[in-house]
Amino acid sequence: MASDVYRVGDGMVSFYVLAEGADLTLVDAGLPAHYGRLTAALEDIGRSVRDVRAVVLTHAHLDHVGLAERLRQETGASVWIHARDEPALTAPLRPPADAKPEAGLGRYLLRHPTALRVPMHLARSGAFRTPAITSASPFDDGMTLDVPGRPRVVAVPGHTPGSVAFHLPAQGAVFTGDALVTHDGLLGLTGTGPQIIGPVFTHDTAQARTSLEALTSLDADLVLPGHGDPFHGAVADAVAQARHTPS
């Protein structure tokens, strides 16, 4: 793991703490039930939620925004998201019409009933009680955010219209959110390397695949996804593998 970067979450969902001195940025915000995991992780490194200055979101799905509003209210942390995904924060349980996934979950579950473990896990972890985020700062591609760690925004639309990655040039790391993962709970694809998430949770699979090109030029040898274990190796190699994900 890159110095000053810490992974939080569970076996299905990951988010990250980025430390710069005494100040912290969260990269994504997990699920509501992850609050205890977050506080325990921060205690382990001698910090607390009071040190969180910002929450930067790779996209607006429930399993990435779960703690954002709570932290915003409790700590005064700023919340940041790409302008294309900002509207989804006001009603996280109802994605905008122009951001809905390509495929329906119900029909998929009829064919693959074991995939029910994913929505069940989300429900148990409070996903469907995620509150609206009432104040957020929009960003755009190429910006370096003025938050602890100063992550640089790399637009990778497709999973959602406003999906992004965050690059840390000094650490040689990139947070890929759900644009590139190493575990897909629905398909059960784990241990098979980097991949993109299927159409049940992705707005535009073809665009998601094309957007991976934006990652290939990054100077990074640590890929930190929103689902699955970190990938150690050149991000271009991770992209090459992810491009072969079954459609």
Side-chain angles (χ1 to χ4, degrees), residues 81-186:
I81 194 164
H82 191 280
R84 289 288 306 277
D85 270 18
E86 184 182 12
L89 296 182
T90 62
L93 300 182
R94 298 188 303 276
D98 64 352
K100 290 182 177 179
E102 286 180 325
L105 179 60
R107 185 171 298 179
Y108 184 88
L109 291 175
L110 289 175
R111 300 196 307 273
H112 306 281
T114 58
L116 184 61
R117 63 183 178 271
V118 174
M120 291 292 290
H121 178 78
L122 296 177
R124 286 193 299 268
S125 300
F128 304 114
R129 300 190 301 275
T130 299
I133 297 171
T134 56
S135 178
S137 299
F139 56 69
D140 212 337
D141 185 25
M143 292 177 60
T144 296
L145 301 184
D146 188 16
V147 301
R150 295 186 60 79
R152 187 175 73 84
V153 177
V154 181
V156 281
H159 183 66
T160 66
S163 284
V164 304
F166 294 112
H167 184 211
L168 302 180
Q171 289 96 331
V174 58
F175 303 96
T176 55
D178 286 3
L180 187 156
V181 301
T182 58
H183 174 71
D184 183 333
L186 279 180

